Amino acid sequence: AQTVTQSQPEMSVQEAETVTLSCTYDTSESDYYLFWYKQPPSRQMILVIRQEAYKQQNATENRFSVNFQKAAKSFSLKISDSQLGDAAMYFCALRGGSQGNLIFGKGTKLSVKP
Amino acid sequence: NAGVTQTPKFQVLKTGQSMTLQCAQDMNHEYMSWYRQDPGMGLRLIHYSVGAGITDQGEVPNGYNVSRSTTEDFPLRLLSAAPSQTSVYFCASSGWVTTGELFFGEGSRLTVL
């Protein structure tokens, strides 16, 4: 079975500072994909960043970057220069296997202080 | 661009009533799925489909039924609503069956009294 664990139910960051959200996962698949989704109060699910497991290079999207440690099965999200609009629920997710279903962690609620 | 469209966005039901949540996508995606989101639980998979005529159960399928007669549509039916089915429901689709990100609808908030 595939699992995704987010050990930080809530995090807080000062505006313009950097914050890292943690995620660990478990899978027996050799080919899989990892994602971070953002869910603001509007409840829309927004893709933040994706990482293909076969790529060694960490993905980056503007102020968002990941630290992908394949051997440790760790996939953390770093948000640089935090903005008020970054306040949201963040979900780590894993997709792999023959069915291709997306498995989510329980989420981390990020608040940004002005 | 419509993407994934869910209706209704809000619904209140009484225990025992049935209803259907509609989901349609205009991206010609083969993979479609339904999730429910509950506080502290993340999103949990209810049912999914890898193409027209093919459906399968996810993690929490009890009390729900699905069908996939066309590539575009994937309705979720609540057969006899229970208070435990009070939740936010998301439909999602993907152009690849086993890879790539999912595109989500805006969610449907269901309350069962």
Side-chain angles (χ1 to χ4, degrees):
Chain A
Q2 301 182 119
T3 60
V4 176
T5 302
Q6 293 179 251
S7 59
Q8 306 153 318
E10 296 186 19
M11 292 281 286
S12 180
V13 64
Q14 205 73 31
E15 193 175 8
E17 297 295 310
T18 296
V19 64
T20 298
L21 307 184
S22 300
C23 174
T24 58
Y25 64 93
D26 192 23
T27 180
S28 58
E29 301 292 335
S30 58
D31 185 21
Y32 55 91
Y33 294 74
L34 294 159
F35 307 90
W36 280 98
Y37 279 89
K38 171 186 178 181
Q39 187 181 44
S42 67
R43 82 174 178 226
Q44 179 68 43
M45 294 292 288
I46 302 167
L47 178 68
V48 175
I49 201 165
R50 61 175 280 176
Q51 174 81 43
E52 292 88 344
Y54 63 85
K55 290 187 177 179
Q56 292 185 340
Q57 187 174 5
N58 289 329
T60 299
E61 288 288 342
N62 300 315
R63 297 183 295 107
F64 298 86
S65 61
V66 298
N67 183 5
F68 175 45
Q69 300 290 326
K70 190 172 184 178
K73 295 184 178 177
S74 172
F75 184 61
S76 60
L77 175 69
K78 186 172 79 172
I79 306 174
S80 304
D81 185 24
S82 296
Q83 301 175 0
L84 295 177
D86 294 334
M89 198 76 170
Y90 286 82
F91 291 99
C92 180
L94 164 70
R95 190 175 195 195
S98 58
Q99 293 91 355
N101 295 321
L102 194 64
I103 306 300
F104 286 88
K106 294 185 178 181
T108 297
K109 184 177 181 180
L110 178 67
S111 58
V112 181
K113 298 179 180 178
Chain B
N1 295 334
V4 180
T5 303
Q6 284 182 237
T7 56
K9 291 188 170 45
F10 298 93
Q11 184 72 48
V12 178
L13 289 177
K14 294 181 179 179
T15 297
Q17 287 185 318
S18 62
M19 76 157 297
T20 299
L21 294 173
Q22 301 290 346
C23 176
Q25 52 89 9
D26 61 358
M27 298 173 281
N28 201 32
H29 284 173
E30 290 295 328
Y31 180 92
M32 296 186 73
S33 55
W34 277 102
Y35 288 85
R36 61 176 289 172
Q37 181 180 16
D38 303 293
M41 299 296 292
L43 281 78
R44 293 180 293 169
L45 182 65
I46 304 172
H47 285 285
Y48 66 98
S49 169
V50 297
I54 306 170
T55 64
D56 206 346
Q57 297 180 351
E59 180 185 357
V60 288
N62 292 341
Y64 306 96
N65 197 4
V66 293
S67 60
R68 184 97 180 268
S69 56
T70 67
T71 299
E72 295 77 20
D73 300 302
F74 190 46
L76 178 72
R77 297 181 184 85
L78 280 70
L79 308 174
S80 177
S84 61
Q85 294 179 304
T86 292
S87 187
V88 177
Y89 292 84
F90 287 93
C91 180
S93 71
S94 170
W96 298 96
V97 172
T98 60
T99 65
E101 67 266 31
L102 264 60
F103 295 84
F104 284 83
E106 294 181 346
S108 300
R109 179 175 292 279
L110 175 66
T111 301
V112 182
L113 303 175

